Amino acid sequence: MTARRKMTYNIFEVWDGLETASIQKGAGMENDNQREKIEQARRELNRLALKYGMQDMRVLNQSVKLDALLNEYKERVDKQNSARHP
């Protein structure tokens, strides 16, 4: 149970940070689409974790997908920020 709470907390913490940065920087529609993909991946991860448990390979695979989406989004936001403030 503890591992599950910690994982969910970390996902939300990262998501909240990226969401705040994106809103503050006025990101465009491309970032809106990426945020929607992230949200869908997060919901799927939660669904799988509840259904199969945290140790199931399907949950791990979905977590890796979500991580990749979050990393891609963060890189995009960072590039936008650096382009605005060279």
Side-chain angles (χ1 to χ4, degrees), residues 38-85:
I38 291 168
E39 181 60 25
Q40 288 173 357
R42 185 192 62 77
R43 284 193 302 261
E44 179 65 5
L45 176 61
N46 288 335
R47 185 189 74 76
L48 290 170
L50 289 172
K51 184 172 183 177
Y52 300 110
M54 295 299 290
Q55 302 301 317
D56 190 86
M57 190 56 95
R58 290 167 281 208
V59 175
L60 177 61
N61 289 337
Q62 185 63 27
S63 178
V64 169
K65 289 177 186 178
L66 177 58
D67 286 346
L69 288 169
L70 287 167
N71 289 336
E72 181 182 315
Y73 183 81
K74 184 179 182 326
E75 287 173 16
R76 182 176 294 151
V77 169
D78 288 348
K79 275 186 185 177
Q80 289 173 347
N81 291 340
S82 65
R84 289 187 184 120
H85 307 285

Side-chain angles (χ1 to χ4, degrees), residues 7-25 35 38-39 42 66 70 73-74 77:
M7 181 180 165
T8 302
Y9 176 77
N10 287 338
I11 290 170
F12 283 122
E13 182 179 73
V14 170
W15 175 246
D16 288 344
L18 291 174
E19 183 72 13
T20 300
S22 178
I23 289 169
Q24 289 174 345
K25 304 303 179 193
R35 285 196 309 266
I38 291 168
E39 181 60 25
R42 185 192 62 77
L66 177 58
L70 287 167
Y73 183 81
K74 184 179 182 326
V77 169

